[in-house]
Amino acid sequence: MLAKCASCSHVFNTDRYGLQYCPQCGAQLMLSPPPGAQPPGAPQGQPPAAGPTAPPAGSPPPASTALPGWTPPPPYGGPAGYDLPQDQPSPWEERHSRGVFPALIETIRKSMFEPAALFERMRVDNAAGAVSYFWIISAFSSVVSTIWALALLPLTNRLSSMPVLTPDNPLSRLPPEHPFSQLLHMQVQNTPGMIVSSMVGRMLFAPVILFVMAGILHVSAAIFGASKKGFNATLRALAYSSGPSVVVLVPLVGGLGAAIWWLVVFVVGLSKTQRCSTGSAIGAVVLPAVVFLCCGFMAVIVIAVSAAAAVGGLAHP
């Protein structure tokens, strides 16, 4: 007979009444027999067997209610000691049966709009598929960014050639040979060759960048107790959360929007693959950013103090 899950509307076959577990989402449902009906397989002439009662809240599902040869998965966040199986491949890892392009588009779509569904049961035992997917996304975003950079090259070079110092700025009194004077007067002009070389470098070293970023984030995740599923879970969450990078197709603001979207998806992916709270995943992302900003702030302070000392030395020879 057929049963329908009230949580995900999945229809499945069953041979009994009573407590059921949806094979699609793991939700519990109670299938009550109609009045006077006998359960399938019951001897004729015998009264219908009473269906099993629901177990107390917080207790594991009884083994006797499981279908033959199948152990029902409990719902995510269910009784302590139970966990959703993490053995489902990503759509990209099924590209041999789905087709390369459809698998890539489906993975990007799920990463951008259904990250919880993508990461909740994703396998975390190895890095298979994650590196190649990240490389393709990185190559695409690098090429698009390069096209926009070449198109906007005259504007960016005009902005970079604007003078930094004004006549009333104390730093303008520094002698030309002073290091700070040379730094302030330095004007970096991008060339098409420099932009294309940067693109090639990003494409070649994309796997290295992935492993370095995953290593930093995994150490941060360990500090917040969000690394119990291992390094591969963090790496896969980082790689498959890169789908929003395609937003670089939007000029000017696409890069910033893609970075913010990527961080949001990564927080969801890390919490699902590592089976940790959202707060722990956010902490694992925020900590490296705070350390980086603090280092940059300290560097700015050192430069400012050194510049002030140089100007003071001119005022008091």
Side-chain angles (χ1 to χ4, degrees):
M1 58 183 171
L2 297 176
K4 184 177 181 180
C5 175
S7 298
C8 66
S9 302
H10 177 67
V11 179
F12 60 95
N13 287 310
T14 181
D15 59 354
R16 59 184 175 81
Y17 297 106
L19 182 65
Q20 310 282 331
Y21 290 88
C22 175
Q24 179 72 19
C25 67
Q28 296 182 4
L29 63 150
M30 180 64 68
L31 185 61
S32 302
Q38 290 184 340
Q44 297 295 326
Q46 298 293 331
T53 59
S59 62
S64 59
T65 62
L67 295 177
W70 178 75
T71 302
Y76 180 61
Y82 287 85
D83 207 356
L84 281 175
Q86 292 179 307
D87 57 359
Q88 302 298 320
S90 66
W92 172 247
E93 292 165 342
E94 296 178 328
R95 57 190 179 276
H96 299 294
S97 57
R98 292 172 176 255
V100 174
F101 190 72
L104 179 63
I105 295 300
E106 178 66 10
T107 307
I108 294 174
R109 185 189 69 82
K110 282 185 171 292
S111 174
M112 297 179 66
F113 304 109
E114 300 178 12
L118 174 65
F119 292 106
E120 193 164 36
R121 297 190 181 185
M122 179 179 287
R123 61 184 305 178
V124 296
D125 55 336
N126 56 54
V131 178
S132 59
Y133 173 80
F134 181 82
W135 185 87
I136 291 175
I137 297 297
S138 298
F140 174 82
S141 61
S142 297
V143 171
V144 173
S145 300
T146 300
I147 293 174
W148 284 123
L150 292 174
L152 299 174
L153 184 60
L155 175 62
T156 56
N157 281 341
R158 188 178 302 115
L159 293 175
S160 64
S161 62
M162 296 177 63
V164 178
L165 298 177
T166 58
D168 57 343
N169 192 326
L171 293 177
S172 62
R173 300 198 305 268
L174 291 173
E177 64 275 6
H178 195 280
F180 282 106
S181 179
Q182 296 177 8
L183 177 64
L184 292 172
H185 286 88
M186 183 174 59
Q187 297 177 352
V188 179
Q189 296 287 319
N190 290 324
T191 63
M194 294 171 57
I195 296 175
V196 174
S197 299
S198 176
M199 177 196 71
V200 174
R202 292 197 302 269
M203 293 174 63
L204 290 177
F205 292 98
V208 177
I209 295 172
L210 172 63
F211 277 90
V212 171
M213 292 174 58
I216 295 173
L217 290 167
H218 190 67
V219 171
S220 179
I223 296 175
F224 289 90
S227 61
K228 61 181 180 180
K229 292 298 182 179
F231 173 75
N232 283 324
T234 303
L235 185 142
R236 290 174 70 85
L238 180 62
Y240 282 112
S241 62
S242 61
S245 295
V246 298
V247 180
V248 297
L249 285 168
V250 180
L252 300 179
V253 298
L256 178 61
I260 296 174
W261 200 339
W262 187 351
L263 287 177
V264 173
V265 174
F266 175 68
V267 167
V268 176
L270 186 66
S271 65
K272 296 300 183 182
T273 57
Q274 292 288 3
R275 291 297 186 260
C276 65
S277 66
T278 303
S280 298
I282 293 175
V285 173
V286 170
L287 179 60
V290 171
V291 172
F292 177 78
L293 290 176
C294 288
C295 292
F297 183 69
M298 292 300 297
V300 171
I301 291 178
V302 171
I303 294 175
V305 171
S306 301
V311 173
L314 291 177
H316 301 87

